[in-house]
Every structure is written in structure tokens, then in C-alpha cells.
Coordinates of all heavy atoms in Angstrom, one line a residue:
M1 N 20.5 70.4 109.3 CA 19.6 70.9 108.2 C 18.2 71.1 108.9 O 17.8 70.4 109.7 CB 19.4 69.8 107.2 CG 20.6 69.8 106.2 SD 20.4 68.7 104.8 CE 18.9 69.1 104.1
S2 N 17.6 72.2 108.4 CA 16.3 72.5 108.8 C 15.2 71.9 108.0 O 15.3 71.7 106.8 CB 16.1 74.1 108.8 OG 14.8 74.4 109.2
N3 N 14.1 71.5 108.6 CA 13.0 70.9 107.9 C 12.0 72.0 107.4 O 11.1 71.7 106.7 CB 12.2 70.0 108.8 CG 13.0 68.7 109.1 OD1 13.8 68.3 108.3 ND2 12.8 68.1 110.3
Y4 N 12.3 73.2 107.8 CA 11.4 74.3 107.3 C 11.9 74.9 106.0 O 13.1 75.1 105.8 CB 11.4 75.5 108.4 CG 10.9 75.0 109.7 CD1 11.8 74.8 110.8 CD2 9.6 74.8 109.9 CE1 11.4 74.4 112.0 CE2 9.1 74.4 111.1 CZ 10.0 74.2 112.2 OH 9.6 73.8 113.4
P5 N 11.0 75.1 105.1 CA 11.4 75.7 103.8 C 11.8 77.1 103.9 O 11.3 77.8 104.8 CB 10.2 75.5 102.9 CG 9.0 75.5 103.9 CD 9.6 74.8 105.1
S6 N 12.7 77.6 103.1 CA 13.1 79.0 103.2 C 12.1 79.9 102.7 O 11.1 79.5 102.0 CB 14.4 79.2 102.4 OG 14.2 79.1 101.0
E7 N 12.2 81.2 103.0 CA 11.1 82.1 102.6 C 11.1 82.3 101.0 O 10.1 82.5 100.5 CB 11.4 83.5 103.2 CG 11.1 83.5 104.7 CD 11.4 84.8 105.3 OE1 11.4 85.8 104.5 OE2 11.6 84.9 106.5
L8 N 12.3 82.1 100.4 CA 12.3 82.3 98.9 C 11.6 81.2 98.2 O 11.1 81.4 97.1 CB 13.7 82.5 98.5 CG 14.4 83.8 98.9 CD1 15.9 83.8 98.4 CD2 13.7 85.0 98.3
T9 N 11.6 80.0 98.8 CA 10.9 78.9 98.2 C 9.4 79.0 98.4 O 8.6 78.4 97.7 CB 11.4 77.5 98.6 OG1 11.3 77.4 100.0 CG2 12.9 77.3 98.1
I10 N 9.0 79.6 99.5 CA 7.6 79.8 99.8 C 7.0 80.8 98.9 O 5.9 80.6 98.3 CB 7.4 80.2 101.3 CG1 7.8 79.1 102.2 CG2 6.0 80.6 101.5 CD1 7.8 79.4 103.7
C11 N 7.7 81.9 98.7 CA 7.2 83.0 97.8 C 8.1 83.2 96.7 O 9.0 84.0 96.7 CB 7.1 84.3 98.6 SG 5.8 84.2 99.9
P12 N 7.9 82.5 95.6 CA 8.8 82.7 94.4 C 8.6 84.0 93.8 O 9.4 84.5 92.9 CB 8.4 81.5 93.5 CG 7.1 81.1 93.9 CD 6.9 81.4 95.3
K13 N 7.5 84.7 94.1 CA 7.3 86.1 93.6 C 8.3 87.1 94.1 O 8.6 88.1 93.4 CB 5.9 86.6 93.9 CG 4.8 85.8 93.2 CD 3.4 86.4 93.4 CE 2.4 85.6 92.7 NZ 1.1 86.2 92.9
W14 N 8.9 86.8 95.2 CA 10.0 87.7 95.8 C 11.2 87.7 94.9 O 11.8 88.8 94.6 CB 10.4 87.2 97.2 CG 9.4 87.6 98.2 CD1 8.5 86.9 98.8 CD2 9.3 88.9 98.8 NE1 7.8 87.6 99.7 CE2 8.2 88.9 99.7 CE3 9.9 90.2 98.6 CZ2 7.8 90.0 100.4 CZ3 9.5 91.3 99.3 CH2 8.5 91.2 100.2
R15 N 11.5 86.6 94.3 CA 12.7 86.5 93.4 C 12.4 87.3 92.1 O 13.3 88.1 91.7 CB 13.0 85.1 93.0 CG 13.7 84.3 94.1 CD 14.1 83.0 93.5 NE 14.7 82.2 94.6 CZ 15.1 81.0 94.5 NH1 15.0 80.4 93.4 NH2 15.7 80.4 95.5
A16 N 11.2 87.2 91.6 CA 10.9 88.0 90.4 C 10.8 89.5 90.7 O 11.3 90.3 89.9 CB 9.5 87.5 89.9
S17 N 10.3 89.8 91.9 CA 10.3 91.2 92.3 C 11.7 91.8 92.5 O 12.0 92.9 92.0 CB 9.5 91.4 93.6 OG 8.2 91.0 93.4
L18 N 12.6 91.0 93.1 CA 14.0 91.4 93.2 C 14.7 91.6 91.9 O 15.5 92.5 91.7 CB 14.7 90.5 94.2 CG 14.3 90.5 95.6 CD1 15.1 89.4 96.4 CD2 14.6 91.9 96.2
K19 N 14.4 90.7 90.9 CA 15.0 90.8 89.6 C 14.5 92.1 88.9 O 15.3 92.8 88.3 CB 14.7 89.6 88.8 CG 15.5 88.4 89.1 CD 15.1 87.3 88.1 CE 15.9 86.1 88.3 NZ 15.6 85.0 87.4
I20 N 13.3 92.4 89.0 CA 12.7 93.6 88.4 C 13.3 94.8 89.1 O 13.7 95.8 88.4 CB 11.2 93.6 88.5 CG1 10.6 92.5 87.6 CG2 10.6 95.0 88.1 CD1 9.1 92.3 87.7
I21 N 13.4 94.9 90.4 CA 14.0 96.0 91.1 C 15.4 96.2 90.8 O 15.9 97.3 90.6 CB 13.8 95.8 92.6 CG1 12.3 96.0 93.0 CG2 14.6 96.8 93.4 CD1 12.0 95.6 94.4
G22 N 16.1 95.0 90.6 CA 17.6 95.1 90.2 C 17.7 95.7 88.8 O 18.6 96.5 88.6
K23 N 16.9 95.3 87.9 CA 16.9 95.8 86.5 C 16.7 97.3 86.5 O 17.4 98.1 85.8 CB 16.0 95.1 85.6 CG 16.4 93.7 85.2 CD 15.4 93.1 84.3 CE 15.8 91.7 83.9 NZ 14.7 91.0 83.1
I24 N 15.6 97.7 87.2 CA 15.3 99.2 87.3 C 16.4 99.9 87.9 O 16.8 101.0 87.4 CB 14.0 99.4 88.0 CG1 12.8 98.8 87.2 CG2 13.7 100.8 88.3 CD1 11.5 98.8 88.0
A25 N 17.0 99.4 89.0 CA 18.1 100.1 89.6 C 19.3 100.2 88.7 O 20.0 101.3 88.6 CB 18.5 99.4 90.9
F26 N 19.6 99.2 87.9 CA 20.7 99.2 87.0 C 20.5 100.2 85.9 O 21.4 101.0 85.6 CB 20.9 97.8 86.4 CG 21.9 97.7 85.3 CD1 23.3 97.8 85.7 CD2 21.6 97.7 84.0 CE1 24.3 97.7 84.7 CE2 22.6 97.6 83.0 CZ 23.9 97.6 83.4
I27 N 19.3 100.3 85.4 CA 19.0 101.3 84.4 C 19.1 102.7 84.9 O 19.7 103.6 84.3 CB 17.6 101.1 83.8 CG1 17.6 99.8 82.9 CG2 17.1 102.2 83.0 CD1 16.2 99.3 82.5
V28 N 18.6 103.0 86.1 CA 18.7 104.3 86.7 C 20.1 104.7 87.0 O 20.5 105.8 86.7 CB 17.8 104.3 88.0 CG1 18.1 105.6 88.8 CG2 16.3 104.3 87.7
I29 N 20.9 103.8 87.5 CA 22.3 104.1 87.8 C 23.1 104.4 86.5 O 23.9 105.3 86.5 CB 23.0 103.0 88.7 CG1 22.4 103.0 90.1 CG2 24.5 103.1 88.7 CD1 22.8 101.8 90.9
C30 N 22.9 103.5 85.5 CA 23.6 103.7 84.2 C 23.2 105.1 83.6 O 24.0 105.8 83.1 CB 23.3 102.6 83.3 SG 24.2 101.1 83.7
T31 N 21.9 105.4 83.7 CA 21.4 106.7 83.2 C 22.1 107.8 83.9 O 22.5 108.8 83.2 CB 19.9 106.7 83.3 OG1 19.3 105.6 82.6 CG2 19.4 108.0 82.7
E32 N 22.1 107.8 85.2 CA 22.7 108.9 86.0 C 24.2 109.1 85.6 O 24.7 110.2 85.5 CB 22.5 108.6 87.5 CG 21.1 108.8 87.9 CD 20.9 108.4 89.4 OE1 21.9 108.0 90.0 OE2 19.8 108.6 89.8
V33 N 24.9 108.0 85.5 CA 26.4 108.0 85.3 C 26.6 108.6 83.9 O 27.5 109.5 83.7 CB 27.0 106.6 85.4 CG1 28.4 106.6 84.8 CG2 27.1 106.2 86.9
I34 N 25.8 108.2 82.9 CA 26.0 108.7 81.5 C 25.6 110.1 81.4 O 26.3 110.9 80.7 CB 25.3 107.8 80.5 CG1 25.9 106.4 80.5 CG2 25.3 108.4 79.1 CD1 25.1 105.4 79.7
L35 N 24.5 110.5 82.1 CA 24.1 111.9 82.1 C 25.2 112.8 82.8 O 25.5 113.9 82.3 CB 22.8 112.1 82.7 CG 21.6 111.7 81.9 CD1 20.3 111.9 82.7 CD2 21.5 112.5 80.6
A36 N 25.8 112.3 83.8 CA 26.8 113.1 84.5 C 28.1 113.2 83.6 O 28.7 114.3 83.6 CB 27.2 112.4 85.8
L37 N 28.4 112.2 82.9 CA 29.5 112.2 82.0 C 29.3 113.2 80.9 O 30.1 114.0 80.5 CB 29.8 110.8 81.4 CG 31.0 110.8 80.4 CD1 32.3 111.1 81.0 CD2 31.0 109.4 79.8
G38 N 28.1 113.2 80.3 CA 27.7 114.1 79.3 C 27.7 115.6 79.8 O 28.2 116.5 79.1
F39 N 27.2 115.8 81.0 CA 27.3 117.1 81.5 C 28.7 117.6 81.8 O 29.0 118.8 81.5 CB 26.5 117.2 82.9 CG 26.4 118.5 83.5 CD1 25.6 119.5 83.0 CD2 27.2 118.8 84.6 CE1 25.6 120.7 83.6 CE2 27.2 120.0 85.2 CZ 26.3 121.0 84.7
W40 N 29.6 116.7 82.2 CA 31.0 117.1 82.4 C 31.6 117.4 81.1 O 32.4 118.4 81.0 CB 31.7 115.9 83.1 CG 33.1 116.1 83.4 CD1 33.6 117.0 84.3 CD2 34.2 115.5 82.7 NE1 35.0 116.9 84.3 CE2 35.4 116.0 83.3 CE3 34.3 114.6 81.7 CZ2 36.6 115.6 82.9 CZ3 35.6 114.2 81.3 CH2 36.7 114.7 81.9
L41 N 31.3 116.7 80.0 CA 31.9 117.0 78.7 C 31.4 118.3 78.2 O 32.1 119.1 77.6 CB 31.6 115.8 77.7 CG 32.3 114.5 77.9 CD1 31.8 113.5 77.0 CD2 33.8 114.7 77.8
L42 N 30.1 118.6 78.5 CA 29.6 119.9 78.0 C 30.3 121.0 78.8 O 30.6 122.1 78.2 CB 28.1 120.0 78.3 CG 27.2 119.2 77.3 CD1 25.8 119.2 77.7 CD2 27.4 119.7 75.9
M43 N 30.5 120.8 80.1 CA 31.2 121.9 80.8 C 32.7 122.0 80.4 O 33.2 123.1 80.3 CB 31.2 121.6 82.3 CG 29.8 121.7 82.9 SD 29.2 123.4 82.8 CE 27.9 123.2 81.6
M44 N 33.3 120.9 80.0 CA 34.7 120.9 79.5 C 34.8 121.7 78.2 O 35.8 122.3 77.9 CB 35.2 119.5 79.4 CG 35.5 118.8 80.6 SD 36.8 119.4 81.6 CE 38.2 118.9 80.5
S45 N 33.7 121.6 77.4 CA 33.8 122.3 76.1 C 33.7 123.8 76.2 O 34.0 124.5 75.3 CB 32.6 121.8 75.2 OG 31.4 122.3 75.6
N46 N 33.2 124.3 77.4 CA 33.1 125.7 77.6 C 34.2 126.3 78.4 O 34.1 127.4 78.8 CB 31.8 126.0 78.3 CG 30.6 125.7 77.4 OD1 30.7 125.9 76.2 ND2 29.6 125.1 78.0
M47 N 35.3 125.6 78.6 CA 36.4 126.1 79.4 C 37.3 127.1 78.8 O 38.0 127.8 79.4 CB 37.3 124.9 79.9 CG 36.7 124.1 81.0 SD 37.8 122.9 81.5 CE 37.8 123.0 83.3
G48 N 37.3 127.2 77.5 CA 38.1 128.2 76.8 C 39.4 127.5 76.3 O 39.5 126.3 76.1
S49 N 40.4 128.3 76.0 CA 41.6 127.8 75.4 C 42.6 127.3 76.5 O 43.6 127.9 76.7 CB 42.3 128.9 74.6 OG 42.6 130.0 75.4
V50 N 42.3 126.2 77.1 CA 43.2 125.6 78.0 C 43.8 124.3 77.5 O 44.7 123.7 78.1 CB 42.4 125.3 79.3 CG1 42.0 126.5 80.0 CG2 41.3 124.3 79.1
Y51 N 43.3 123.8 76.3 CA 43.8 122.6 75.7 C 45.0 123.0 74.8 O 44.7 123.6 73.8 CB 42.8 121.9 75.0 CG 41.5 121.7 75.7 CD1 40.4 122.5 75.3 CD2 41.3 120.8 76.8 CE1 39.2 122.4 76.0 CE2 40.2 120.7 77.4 CZ 39.1 121.5 77.1 OH 37.9 121.4 77.7
L52 N 46.2 122.6 75.1 CA 47.3 122.8 74.3 C 47.4 124.2 73.7 O 47.4 124.4 72.5 CB 47.3 121.8 73.1 CG 47.2 120.3 73.5 CD1 46.9 119.4 72.3 CD2 48.4 119.8 74.3
P53 N 47.5 125.2 74.5 CA 47.5 126.6 74.0 C 48.7 127.0 73.2 O 48.6 127.9 72.4 CB 47.3 127.5 75.3 CG 47.9 126.6 76.4 CD 47.6 125.2 76.0
N54 N 49.8 126.4 73.5 CA 51.1 126.8 72.8 C 51.3 126.0 71.5 O 52.2 126.4 70.8 CB 52.3 126.5 73.8 CG 52.2 127.3 75.0 OD1 51.7 128.4 75.0 ND2 52.6 126.8 76.1
I55 N 50.5 125.0 71.2 CA 50.7 124.3 70.0 C 49.7 124.9 68.9 O 48.6 125.1 69.1 CB 50.3 122.8 70.2 CG1 51.3 122.2 71.2 CG2 50.4 122.0 68.9 CD1 51.0 120.8 71.6
C56 N 50.3 125.2 67.8 CA 49.5 125.7 66.6 C 48.7 127.0 66.9 O 47.7 127.2 66.4 CB 48.6 124.6 66.1 SG 47.9 124.8 64.5
N57 N 49.2 127.8 67.9 CA 48.6 129.1 68.2 C 47.2 128.9 68.6 O 46.3 129.8 68.4 CB 48.7 130.1 67.1 CG 49.8 131.1 67.4 OD1 50.3 131.2 68.5 ND2 50.1 131.9 66.4
G58 N 46.8 127.8 69.2 CA 45.4 127.6 69.7 C 44.5 127.2 68.6 O 43.3 127.2 68.8
C59 N 44.9 126.8 67.4 CA 44.0 126.4 66.4 C 43.4 125.0 66.7 O 42.4 124.7 66.1 CB 44.7 126.3 65.0 SG 46.0 125.1 64.9
L60 N 44.0 124.2 67.6 CA 43.4 123.0 68.0 C 42.2 123.2 69.0 O 41.4 122.3 69.2 CB 44.4 122.0 68.6 CG 45.5 121.5 67.7 CD1 46.5 120.7 68.5 CD2 44.9 120.6 66.7
D61 N 42.2 124.3 69.6 CA 41.2 124.6 70.6 C 39.8 124.5 70.1 O 38.9 123.8 70.7 CB 41.4 126.0 71.2 CG 40.5 126.3 72.3 OD1 40.4 125.4 73.2 OD2 39.8 127.4 72.3
T62 N 39.5 125.0 68.9 CA 38.1 125.0 68.4 C 37.7 123.5 68.1 O 36.5 123.1 68.4 CB 38.0 125.8 67.1 OG1 38.4 127.1 67.4 CG2 36.6 125.9 66.6
S63 N 38.5 122.8 67.5 CA 38.2 121.4 67.1 C 38.0 120.5 68.4 O 37.0 119.7 68.5 CB 39.2 120.7 66.2 OG 40.4 120.7 66.9
I64 N 38.8 120.7 69.4 CA 38.6 120.0 70.6 C 37.4 120.4 71.4 O 36.6 119.5 71.8 CB 39.9 120.2 71.6 CG1 41.1 119.5 70.9 CG2 39.6 119.6 72.9 CD1 42.4 119.8 71.6
R65 N 37.1 121.7 71.4 CA 35.8 122.1 72.1 C 34.6 121.6 71.4 O 33.6 121.2 72.0 CB 35.8 123.6 72.1 CG 36.9 124.2 73.1 CD 37.0 125.7 73.1 NE 35.8 126.2 73.7 CZ 35.5 127.5 73.8 NH1 36.4 128.4 73.2 NH2 34.5 128.0 74.3
M66 N 34.6 121.7 70.0 CA 33.4 121.2 69.3 C 33.3 119.7 69.4 O 32.2 119.2 69.5 CB 33.6 121.6 67.8 CG 33.4 123.0 67.5 SD 31.8 123.6 68.1 CE 32.3 124.9 69.2
T67 N 34.4 118.9 69.5 CA 34.3 117.5 69.7 C 33.7 117.2 71.0 O 32.8 116.3 71.2 CB 35.7 116.9 69.6 OG1 36.2 117.2 68.3 CG2 35.6 115.4 69.8
L68 N 34.2 117.8 72.1 CA 33.6 117.6 73.4 C 32.1 118.0 73.4 O 31.3 117.3 74.1 CB 34.4 118.4 74.4 CG 35.8 118.0 74.8 CD1 36.5 119.0 75.7 CD2 35.7 116.6 75.4
L69 N 31.7 119.1 72.8 CA 30.3 119.5 72.7 C 29.5 118.4 72.0 O 28.4 118.1 72.5 CB 30.2 120.8 72.0 CG 28.9 121.5 72.0 CD1 28.5 121.9 73.5 CD2 28.9 122.8 71.2
V70 N 29.9 118.0 70.9 CA 29.2 117.0 70.1 C 29.1 115.6 70.9 O 28.0 115.0 70.9 CB 29.8 116.7 68.7 CG1 29.3 115.5 68.1 CG2 29.6 118.0 67.9
V71 N 30.1 115.2 71.5 CA 30.1 114.0 72.3 C 29.2 114.1 73.5 O 28.4 113.2 73.8 CB 31.5 113.5 72.7 CG1 31.5 112.4 73.7 CG2 32.3 113.2 71.5
G72 N 29.2 115.2 74.2 CA 28.4 115.5 75.4 C 26.9 115.5 75.0 O 26.1 114.8 75.6
I73 N 26.6 116.2 73.9 CA 25.2 116.3 73.5 C 24.7 114.9 72.9 O 23.6 114.5 73.1 CB 25.0 117.4 72.4 CG1 25.1 118.7 73.1 CG2 23.6 117.3 71.7 CD1 25.1 119.9 72.2
G74 N 25.7 114.2 72.2 CA 25.4 112.9 71.7 C 25.0 111.9 72.8 O 24.1 111.1 72.7
L75 N 25.8 112.0 73.9 CA 25.5 111.1 75.1 C 24.1 111.4 75.7 O 23.4 110.5 76.0 CB 26.5 111.3 76.2 CG 27.9 110.6 75.9 CD1 28.9 110.9 77.0 CD2 27.7 109.1 75.9
W76 N 23.7 112.7 75.7 CA 22.4 113.0 76.3 C 21.3 112.5 75.4 O 20.3 112.0 75.8 CB 22.3 114.5 76.5 CG 23.0 114.9 77.8 CD1 23.8 114.2 78.5 CD2 22.7 116.2 78.4 NE1 24.2 115.0 79.6 CE2 23.5 116.2 79.6 CE3 22.0 117.3 78.1 CZ2 23.6 117.2 80.5 CZ3 22.0 118.4 79.0 CH2 22.8 118.3 80.2
V77 N 21.5 112.6 74.0 CA 20.5 112.1 73.1 C 20.4 110.6 73.2 O 19.3 110.1 73.1 CB 20.8 112.6 71.7 CG1 20.0 111.9 70.6 CG2 20.7 114.1 71.6
L78 N 21.5 110.0 73.3 CA 21.6 108.5 73.4 C 20.8 108.0 74.6 O 20.0 107.1 74.6 CB 23.0 108.0 73.4 CG 23.2 106.5 73.5 CD1 22.8 105.9 72.2 CD2 24.7 106.2 73.8
V79 N 21.0 108.7 75.8 CA 20.4 108.3 77.0 C 18.9 108.6 76.9 O 18.0 107.8 77.3 CB 20.9 109.1 78.2 CG1 20.1 109.0 79.4 CG2 22.3 108.6 78.5
A80 N 18.5 109.7 76.2 CA 17.0 110.0 76.1 C 16.4 108.9 75.2 O 15.3 108.4 75.6 CB 16.8 111.3 75.4
T81 N 17.0 108.5 74.1 CA 16.4 107.4 73.3 C 16.4 106.1 74.0 O 15.5 105.3 73.9 CB 17.1 107.3 72.0 OG1 18.5 107.1 72.2 CG2 17.0 108.5 71.1
W82 N 17.4 105.8 74.8 CA 17.5 104.6 75.6 C 16.3 104.5 76.6 O 15.7 103.5 76.7 CB 18.8 104.5 76.3 CG 19.2 103.2 77.0 CD1 19.0 102.0 76.4 CD2 19.7 103.0 78.3 NE1 19.4 101.0 77.3 CE2 19.8 101.6 78.5 CE3 20.0 103.9 79.3 CZ2 20.3 101.1 79.6 CZ3 20.5 103.3 80.5 CH2 20.7 101.9 80.6
I83 N 16.1 105.6 77.3 CA 15.0 105.7 78.3 C 13.6 105.5 77.6 O 12.8 104.7 78.0 CB 15.0 107.0 79.1 CG1 16.2 106.9 80.0 CG2 13.7 107.1 79.9 CD1 16.5 108.2 80.8
I84 N 13.4 106.2 76.5 CA 12.2 106.1 75.7 C 12.0 104.7 75.2 O 10.9 104.1 75.2 CB 12.2 107.2 74.6 CG1 12.0 108.6 75.2 CG2 11.0 106.9 73.6 CD1 12.2 109.7 74.2
W85 N 13.1 104.1 74.7 CA 13.0 102.7 74.2 C 12.6 101.7 75.4 O 11.7 100.9 75.1 CB 14.4 102.2 73.7 CG 14.4 100.8 73.3 CD1 15.0 99.8 74.0 CD2 13.8 100.2 72.2 NE1 14.8 98.6 73.4 CE2 14.1 98.8 72.3 CE3 13.0 100.7 71.1 CZ2 13.6 97.9 71.3 CZ3 12.6 99.8 70.2 CH2 12.9 98.4 70.3
H86 N 13.1 101.9 76.5 CA 12.7 101.0 77.7 C 11.3 101.3 78.1 O 10.6 100.3 78.4 CB 13.7 101.2 78.9 CG 14.9 100.4 78.7 ND1 15.0 99.1 78.9 CD2 16.2 100.8 78.4 CE1 16.2 98.7 78.8 NE2 17.0 99.7 78.5
I87 N 10.8 102.5 78.0 CA 9.4 102.8 78.4 C 8.5 102.2 77.3 O 7.5 101.5 77.7 CB 9.2 104.3 78.5 CG1 9.9 104.9 79.7 CG2 7.7 104.6 78.5 CD1 9.9 106.4 79.8
L88 N 8.8 102.3 76.1 CA 8.0 101.7 75.0 C 8.0 100.2 75.1 O 7.0 99.5 74.9 CB 8.4 102.2 73.6 CG 8.2 103.7 73.3 CD1 8.7 104.0 72.0 CD2 6.7 104.0 73.4
L89 N 9.1 99.6 75.4 CA 9.2 98.2 75.5 C 8.4 97.7 76.7 O 7.7 96.7 76.6 CB 10.7 97.8 75.7 CG 11.1 96.3 75.6 CD1 10.8 95.8 74.2 CD2 12.5 96.1 76.0
Y90 N 8.4 98.4 77.8 CA 7.6 98.1 79.0 C 6.1 98.2 78.6 O 5.3 97.3 79.0 CB 7.9 99.0 80.1 CG 7.0 98.7 81.3 CD1 7.2 97.6 82.1 CD2 6.1 99.7 81.7 CE1 6.3 97.4 83.2 CE2 5.2 99.5 82.8 CZ 5.4 98.3 83.5 OH 4.6 98.1 84.6
L91 N 5.7 99.2 77.9 CA 4.3 99.4 77.6 C 3.9 98.3 76.6 O 2.8 97.7 76.7 CB 4.1 100.7 76.9 CG 4.2 101.9 77.9 CD1 4.0 103.2 77.2 CD2 3.1 101.8 79.0
Y92 N 4.7 97.9 75.7 CA 4.4 96.8 74.7 C 4.3 95.5 75.5 O 3.3 94.7 75.3 CB 5.5 96.7 73.7 CG 5.4 95.5 72.8 CD1 4.4 95.4 71.8 CD2 6.2 94.3 73.0 CE1 4.2 94.3 71.0 CE2 6.0 93.2 72.2 CZ 5.1 93.2 71.2 OH 4.9 92.1 70.5
H93 N 5.2 95.3 76.4 CA 5.1 94.0 77.3 C 3.8 94.0 78.1 O 3.1 93.0 78.2 CB 6.3 93.9 78.2 CG 6.3 92.7 79.0 ND1 6.5 91.5 78.5 CD2 6.1 92.6 80.4 CE1 6.5 90.6 79.6 NE2 6.2 91.3 80.7
L94 N 3.4 95.2 78.6 CA 2.2 95.3 79.4 C 1.0 95.0 78.6 O 0.1 94.3 79.0 CB 2.1 96.7 80.0 CG 1.4 96.9 81.3 CD1 2.2 96.2 82.4 CD2 1.3 98.3 81.6
M95 N 0.9 95.6 77.3 CA -0.2 95.4 76.5 C -0.3 94.0 75.9 O -1.4 93.5 75.7 CB -0.2 96.4 75.3 CG -0.4 97.9 75.8 SD -0.1 99.1 74.5 CE -1.0 98.5 73.1
K96 N 0.8 93.4 75.7 CA 0.9 92.0 75.1 C 0.3 91.0 76.1 O -0.4 90.1 75.8 CB 2.3 91.7 74.7 CG 2.4 90.4 74.1 CD 3.9 90.1 73.6 CE 4.0 88.7 73.1 NZ 5.4 88.4 72.8
H97 N 0.7 91.1 77.4 CA 0.3 90.1 78.4 C -1.0 90.5 79.2 O -1.5 89.6 79.9 CB 1.5 90.0 79.4 CG 2.7 89.4 78.8 ND1 2.7 88.1 78.3 CD2 3.9 89.9 78.5 CE1 3.9 87.8 77.8 NE2 4.7 88.9 77.9
N98 N -1.5 91.7 79.0 CA -2.7 92.0 79.7 C -3.7 92.5 78.6 O -3.8 93.7 78.3 CB -2.5 93.1 80.7 CG -1.7 92.7 81.9 OD1 -1.7 91.5 82.2 ND2 -1.0 93.6 82.5
P99 N -4.6 91.6 78.1 CA -5.5 92.0 77.0 C -6.6 92.9 77.5 O -7.0 93.1 78.6 CB -6.0 90.7 76.5 CG -5.7 89.7 77.4 CD -4.6 90.2 78.3

């Protein structure tokens, strides 16, 4: 055993900084993945009549394309409100603790 204290016990601010960096990285990665999924769904909605073309003479095509379009746009709107919520929450926290 060493008689020297570890660096993390000397500077407890490092742990707090690492937690904040981890939270920010998690939010950024989740945002990127959801935006990519939404973009992929938007691109899938514009592919044309490739979904079950022989069933019902393509009448399912419009409903499937519109569903993909709505889900893709919905994901983008959800991510935008999620980011705005986190920004407003951060600003509220900043104003509350720093008069």
C-alpha cells in the first residue's frame, strides 16, 4: 500500500468535471444517433414503391411512406425539444446558483 493519496482524492473537482463531461458526451451521442435514425427514415420514405409492390396493387405504399415520413420528422422535432429543454435547464441551474 502506498502512503500517498491518489490524485482523485486530492482534487475532487476532477470527478465532478468527468461526470459533467460524461453527461454532455452522452447527450451528444444520443442526439446524433436519433438524428441519423430520423434522417434514414426520411430517406426511406422517399424511395418509391418498393414496399410490398405486389400486394394490394401498391395501395399500402402511400400509408407506409407517410408513416415513415411522420416518424422521421417526429424524431427530429423530439430531438430539437430535448436539446432546447437541456439548454433551458442548464440556464435555470446557472441562474439559480449564481445570483
